[in-house]
């Protein structure tokens, strides 16, 4: 069995360069690849395009890359928690492609499964559909959406083995599984790294064939965007 483990996050991000396109898992701050994002900040990689459900918050997640103006373009579906994102978008400093959330997920899944394009009714009649092919299916107009093309996918999982088999926990099972195998190189950081055979095959969410590199994260803050408590 192929061992896909690397020693640390620095080794996991070998080959990352300016101008690349990255996929980053997570929903809000849940299940984001914290170690990989911190390493991108440390390397000061610039002019990158980020495909992510969200843009983090001002001082965490992708907000750290935005703060240093490392991101050239954001492709997202929800960006409402980041004031710096808003400032850069309104000032024209940041290119933004806002996509319906289901379409964002399906464009990841299409890339994962080798499907070049698909048709969806979401966005028809809006700015989303401008310049895109339209076809009718059962009398209903659909627009064509293309699969994403990305250089690296950065994913966070709960448990993984040395062969790259993954288990996600709770809400972290959001965009993370869809991005595995959807880019040229998939890098996974896990909370717990085990030997092959230690994971119950019935509970594996993503098989190792979709993963190129896996490492154990050093720490995870697991911040909460908006903490709500009973008064």
């Amino acid at each position: 069995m192929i061992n896909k483990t690397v020693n640390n996050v620095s080794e996991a991000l070998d080959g990352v360069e300016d101008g690349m396109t990255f996929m980053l898992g997570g929903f809000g701050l849940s299940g984001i690849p914290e170690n990989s994002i911190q390493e991108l900040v440390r390397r000061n990689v610039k002019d990158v395009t980020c495909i992510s459900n969200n843009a983090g918050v001002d001082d965490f997640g992708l907000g750290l890359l935005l703060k240093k103006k490392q991101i050239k373009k954001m492709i997202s579906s929800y960006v409402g928690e980041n004031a710096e994102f808003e400032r850069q978008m309104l000032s024209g400093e940041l290119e933004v492609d806002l996509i319906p959330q289901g379409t964002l997920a399906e464009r990841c899944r299409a890339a994962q499964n080798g499907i070049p394009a698909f048709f969806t009714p979401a966005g028809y009649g809006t700015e989303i559909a401008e310049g895109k092919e339209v076809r009718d299916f059962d009398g209903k107009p659909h627009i064509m959406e293309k699969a994403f093309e990305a250089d690296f996918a950065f994913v966070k999982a709960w448990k993984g083995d040395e062969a790259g088999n993954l288990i996600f926990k709770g809400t972290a099972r959001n965009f993370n599984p869809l991005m595995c195998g959807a880019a040229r190189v998939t890098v996974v950081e896990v909370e717990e790294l085990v030997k092959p055979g230690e994971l119950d095959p019935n509970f594996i969410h993503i098989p190792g064939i979709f993963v190129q590199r896996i490492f154990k994260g050093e720490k995870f803050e697991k911040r909460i965007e908006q903490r709500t408590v009973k008064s």
Side-chain angles (χ1 to χ4, degrees), residues 63-230:
L64 297 173
L65 294 174
L66 285 167
K67 185 177 181 180
K68 292 183 64 179
K69 297 185 178 180
Q70 294 174 249
I71 301 176
K72 177 183 69 174
K73 181 177 182 179
M74 278 295 308
I75 301 175
S76 303
S77 59
Y78 175 71
V79 292
E81 300 293 337
N82 195 312
E84 177 61 18
F85 175 95
E86 179 184 18
R87 188 197 67 75
Q88 290 187 25
M89 181 179 73
L90 294 178
S91 67
E93 299 173 42
L94 179 69
E95 295 178 50
V96 178
D97 192 357
L98 293 178
I99 300 175
Q101 190 155 278
T103 301
L104 183 75
E106 191 64 10
R107 290 179 70 180
C108 292
R109 193 188 72 86
Q112 181 187 63
N113 289 277
I115 299 170
F118 59 92
F119 284 89
T120 175
Y124 176 76
T126 72
E127 293 180 7
I128 298 293
E130 290 182 4
K132 296 177 181 176
E133 182 180 343
V134 178
R135 289 190 189 181
D136 279 1
F137 293 91
D138 297 323
K140 188 174 183 178
H142 293 62
I143 61 175
M144 188 177 78
E145 295 282 2
K146 294 182 179 180
F148 285 127
E149 295 182 6
D151 298 292
F152 280 82
F154 299 113
V155 170
K156 158 74 188 323
W158 175 42
K159 286 186 180 181
D161 65 21
E162 293 175 348
N165 299 302
L166 307 175
I167 296 176
F168 300 90
K169 186 177 183 180
T171 312
R173 192 179 175 186
N174 41 54
F175 282 85
N176 281 302
L178 295 172
M179 291 181 174
C180 292
R184 183 172 53 84
V185 177
T186 296
V187 173
V188 182
E189 53 187 78
V190 295
E191 295 181 43
E192 188 175 340
L193 185 61
V194 301
K195 297 290 184 181
E198 292 187 38
L199 299 180
D200 185 337
N202 294 297
F203 292 96
I204 290 174
H205 296 131
I206 288 293
I209 190 68
F210 289 107
V211 175
Q212 281 71 51
R213 303 171 190 172
I214 186 170
F215 69 97
K216 186 179 185 304
E218 292 185 357
K219 66 176 182 177
F220 295 96
E221 291 188 42
K222 298 183 181 179
R223 290 198 198 178
I224 297 174
E225 279 178 274
Q226 296 184 16
R227 185 183 297 275
T228 303
V229 296
K230 188 176 180 180

Side-chain angles (χ1 to χ4, degrees), residues 26-79:
F27 188 94
L29 298 182
S30 175
I32 65 173
E34 297 178 34
N35 288 261
S36 297
I37 291 173
Q38 289 282 2
E39 180 65 11
L40 290 172
V41 172
R42 188 190 71 80
R43 293 188 179 207
N44 200 31
V45 182
K46 295 184 187 263
D47 297 323
V48 299
T49 296
C50 290
I51 301 167
S52 175
N53 162 260
N54 66 98
V57 293
D58 288 299
D59 63 344
F60 196 62
L62 286 179
L64 297 173
L65 294 174
L66 285 167
K67 185 177 181 180
K68 292 183 64 179
K69 297 185 178 180
Q70 294 174 249
I71 301 176
K72 177 183 69 174
K73 181 177 182 179
M74 278 295 308
I75 301 175
S76 303
S77 59
Y78 175 71
V79 292

